[in-house]
Amino acid sequence: MRDRGEYLFTSESVSEGHPDKVADRISDTVLDAFLAADPYSRVACETLVTTNRIVLAGEVRGPETVTSDHLAHLARMAVHEIGYDQEGFSWRRARVDCHLHAQSSDIARGVDAAGNKDEGAGDQGIMFGYACRETEALMPAPIYYAHLILRRISEMRRNKDRLVEGLLPDAKSQVTLRYVDGRPVAATSIVVSIQHREGLEQDDIKRMLWPIVESSLPRGWMCPEREFYVNPTGKFVIGGPDGDCGLTGRKIIVDTYGGAAPHGGGAFSGKDPTKVDRSAAYACRYLAKNVVAAGLADRCTLQISYAIGVSHPLSVYVDLHGSGRDVNERDLENTLREVMNLTPRGIREHLHLNRPIYAETSAYGHFGREPDSQKGTFTWERLDLVPALRSVFRV
């Protein structure tokens, strides 16, 4: 974010019932199915969802036991868990078409290890990671609170809490915060659009959501009532894939830092960890977060680049935005290469990515989440590099 005295900054989130997130969830469910059967499966799954139709397409290399019928069943179960059993989109009635086929041999040749050649990157590209001190999760505040608001509403809906009776899975939030001297101090406006059953009035929904939103923010941060916008069009009954077609990978800013940091352009969901679009972006967040947690800086942006078929990164770039504490950024770049093997294989092994851990990442952001040692999820949010970084830089 810009270094200036006072400004407003906005980020948005979408719920697991948003059409694009339904597609992301199904793609990551397909990925998890292959990784559960063979940790070294190759998957690049794209999903399209629309009115009572689910289409799977892409390239895979994995066990034949993962059949099209099994994947169709898993897609339905994902839709069921999200909560869709509506006339226009139902886990029971939606048609599922599977068009997954074998991975290109040309791509496989570049990625596979052979002889003296280590495993190469699954594609060229640039990946970014970011961390800052605006929240305990070391995430930018606008995207953090936009996610939190929708997660709380979703949890209440799933638990059949009477306070949110009549609300349905599709939802979006948007949080605008006021910054003073680079620090967030209050919300100036908040938008929540949420699908609802016929007959529920806009004012009723606004009264439902006010206490949920207010309690999701730090004390005293809630925006004025006139700046709290709920379903601004007045009605949101037709929603989900029946109201708007959904595709995998269309919410990359929601998935990362809400626009507060650069993005390399590659989506995550449906891609196995040989695809550096996903695994290297996780590594970048992991390193940036550990840099900030170690006290080396208040903000850190990290960029890594790769070429398809080449194992080592072509570049590592660090920007501490002038917030570093007697740390030379070039020295830090060299140190990060030393504390973590940044080849695709090194990233996968360090973060234990060859496991069926991805369905949970498909909504409410891939970053700023709590790592779970039992499930093995969100390993890139660990802070286990902090001691090594403090030792090197004597912090």
Side-chain angles (χ1 to χ4, degrees):
M1 295 185 190
R2 297 178 62 185
D3 295 320
R4 46 187 280 200
E6 185 170 338
Y7 57 92
L8 304 182
F9 194 86
T10 304
S11 295
E12 72 159 348
S13 178
V14 297
S15 72
E16 75 268 31
H18 184 281
D20 295 329
K21 282 292 146 196
V22 175
D24 283 345
R25 171 63 179 274
I26 293 172
S27 291
D28 276 333
T29 297
V30 169
L31 171 61
D32 283 350
F34 275 99
L35 293 179
D38 178 358
Y40 299 99
S41 294
R42 299 284 171 76
V43 179
C45 176
E46 309 291 344
T47 301
L48 176 149
V49 290
T50 186
T51 303
N52 275 329
R53 177 70 64 88
I54 300 168
V55 180
L56 308 179
E59 302 78 44
V60 298
R61 189 176 77 188
E64 294 182 356
T65 54
V66 186
T67 64
S68 294
D69 287 345
H70 181 53
L71 294 177
H73 168 72
L74 292 178
R76 292 183 186 280
M77 292 302 98
V79 173
H80 177 264
E81 188 172 339
I82 291 169
Y84 278 113
D85 193 13
Q86 301 169 13
E87 181 178 350
F89 192 70
S90 168
W91 67 274
R92 306 172 195 269
R93 297 183 298 277
R95 173 177 167 178
V96 183
D97 297 320
C98 185
H99 300 286
L100 294 167
H101 60 81
Q103 183 188 49
S104 161
S105 59
D106 291 342
I107 294 176
R109 185 181 299 113
V111 176
D112 292 345
N116 294 325
K117 174 185 174 299
D118 195 4
E119 176 184 302
D123 201 353
Q124 71 177 46
I126 56 175
M127 297 83 207
F128 288 92
Y130 182 72
C132 63
R133 293 193 177 279
E134 293 180 15
T135 62
E136 290 185 2
L138 301 185
M139 286 288 289
I143 188 67
Y144 178 83
Y145 292 114
H147 285 323
L148 184 58
I149 288 166
L150 291 187
R151 288 186 72 180
R152 288 190 170 177
I153 295 170
S154 174
E155 288 167 4
M156 295 174 71
R157 179 181 60 81
R158 289 168 177 273
N159 293 331
K160 302 187 185 305
D161 193 313
R162 293 180 61 85
L163 294 176
V164 295
E165 189 174 0
L167 301 186
L168 298 175
D170 193 359
K172 302 177 76 172
S173 66
Q174 185 170 284
V175 173
T176 300
L177 298 184
R178 181 165 64 93
Y179 283 72
V180 176
D181 297 328
R183 300 182 64 179
V185 297
T188 60
S189 66
I190 295 174
V191 183
V192 181
S193 296
I194 189 162
Q195 186 187 14
H196 60 89
R197 291 179 184 154
E198 189 74 65
L200 200 57
E201 298 297 327
Q202 184 183 33
D203 288 344
D204 296 331
I205 299 171
K206 189 170 184 178
R207 281 191 293 270
M208 279 184 191
L209 296 183
W210 178 275
I212 300 171
V213 173
E214 184 177 34
S215 65
S216 299
L217 300 171
R219 185 181 297 274
W221 276 34
M222 187 60 180
C223 65
E225 186 174 358
R226 66 182 181 277
E227 295 296 329
F228 182 45
Y229 302 95
V230 173
N231 289 357
T233 63
K235 186 176 181 180
F236 188 4
V237 172
I238 301 172
D242 186 32
D244 192 11
C245 177
L247 294 170
T248 301
R250 287 207 301 196
K251 288 292 177 283
I252 57 177
I253 300 303
V254 170
D255 284 343
T256 53
Y257 306 101
H263 194 294
F268 302 153
S269 290
K271 297 178 181 178
D272 75 77
T274 66
K275 280 73 170 175
V276 286
D277 275 346
R278 182 169 217 159
S279 56
Y282 289 175
C284 286
R285 162 64 179 173
Y286 173 64
L287 293 173
K289 184 177 182 181
N290 275 267
V291 165
V292 173
L296 304 185
D298 292 332
R299 293 169 59 198
C300 177
T301 298
L302 178 69
Q303 184 207 63
I304 303 179
S305 68
Y306 291 87
I308 187 169
V310 178
S311 60
H312 62 273
L314 304 184
S315 64
V316 176
Y317 167 79
V318 172
D319 183 358
L320 301 181
H321 305 277
S323 70
R325 293 179 174 82
D326 298 321
V327 176
N328 181 284
E329 287 160 332
R330 182 172 297 177
D331 291 342
L332 181 55
E333 291 163 358
N334 293 331
T335 298
L336 294 180
R337 285 179 179 265
E338 293 171 2
V339 297
M340 185 178 184
N341 180 348
L342 293 175
T343 66
R345 182 198 300 275
I347 293 171
R348 288 191 297 102
E349 293 178 351
H350 190 107
L351 298 178
H352 309 290
L353 297 180
N354 285 101
R355 295 182 289 181
I357 57 174
Y358 296 102
E360 196 170 337
T361 69
S362 61
Y364 308 115
H366 293 245
F367 307 131
R369 309 286 289 275
E370 192 68 29
D372 188 320
S373 58
Q374 291 186 328
K375 294 181 181 178
T377 51
F378 301 102
T379 55
W380 49 94
E381 293 295 317
R382 298 178 314 197
L383 297 175
D384 50 333
L385 293 183
V386 166
L389 291 172
R390 286 177 172 168
S391 176
V392 170
F393 292 97
R394 295 182 173 84
V395 174

